[in-house]
Amino acid sequence: MKDLKSDTSTPTIDIDGRTFDLAALRNDLLIESPGESIAYLTDFLLDDTTSEQLQEVLGDCTTVVCEAQYREQDIDLAQRNFHTTTTMVSHLAARSGFGKLVLFHLSDRYTTDEWDEMLAECRMIFPNTVFPKNWSIEPQSNGI
């Protein structure tokens, strides 16, 4: 099976004493279909170099689960703590062609209403942005 899936320099394969042409077998037996891909990004500073590297590696990724610790207005705090902002990850998603951006790892410095605003900010840049499925955001006990 490995010989059938790989593009080896061997043009034939022997099976039970019979010789088969690998190219013909591939054509007859293998069906290629697009797959799904997922990436998980957390605890990183999204500078220009990292953004370029991620675009190259994750281009057209189906689903990217990514931290969005801070709002864009707190970019200095994000950079000081080696984290990203909602705007940064949304632009990365838009430039890279992600299928879906799933936000998580939001700072608890913000209220749940602000989390909703952060999601809305992301959607203005990359519309297919969501929170994790079945993620319930409960009011914080300290009132913040």
Side-chain angles (χ1 to χ4, degrees):
M1 183 58 106
K2 185 168 84 174
D3 289 335
L4 186 60
K5 289 198 271 183
S6 66
D7 193 12
T8 66
S9 60
T10 307
T12 61
I13 186 171
D14 289 324
I15 303 173
D16 293 331
R18 293 177 57 199
T19 301
F20 295 89
D21 179 74
L22 276 174
L25 285 176
R26 278 189 204 99
N27 188 52
D28 293 343
L29 300 175
L30 297 181
I31 299 170
E32 290 187 27
S33 61
E36 299 287 320
S37 55
I38 188 166
Y40 177 85
L41 306 172
T42 188
D43 295 327
F44 69 103
L45 176 62
L46 189 57
D47 57 17
D48 290 340
T49 301
T50 304
S51 182
E52 288 174 20
Q53 291 170 340
L54 288 173
Q55 285 178 70
E56 184 177 321
V57 173
L58 300 177
D60 297 324
C61 188
T62 308
T63 302
V64 177
V65 180
C66 188
E67 75 160 62
Q69 270 276 16
Y70 297 98
R71 296 185 84 161
E72 187 62 26
Q73 65 200 34
D74 294 323
I75 191 169
D76 291 336
L77 187 59
Q79 291 174 334
R80 204 168 41 246
N81 290 295
F82 298 95
H83 286 293
T84 62
T85 68
T86 51
T87 302
M88 291 170 145
V89 299
S90 299
H91 283 295
L92 175 66
R95 285 190 307 267
S96 300
F98 298 163
K100 176 170 52 173
L101 176 62
V102 181
L103 301 179
F104 81 111
H105 199 111
L106 280 68
S107 175
D108 61 5
R109 74 177 45 253
Y110 305 113
T111 65
T112 54
D113 287 341
E114 288 175 301
W115 286 357
D116 287 338
E117 292 169 7
M118 292 165 79
L119 179 62
E121 290 169 0
C122 286
R123 287 180 172 166
M124 298 229 2
I125 299 165
F126 187 74
N128 198 14
T129 303
V130 298
F131 286 136
K133 186 176 180 179
N134 300 322
W135 191 25
S136 63
I137 301 175
E138 302 296 328
Q140 298 166 2
S141 61
N142 63 5
I144 295 177

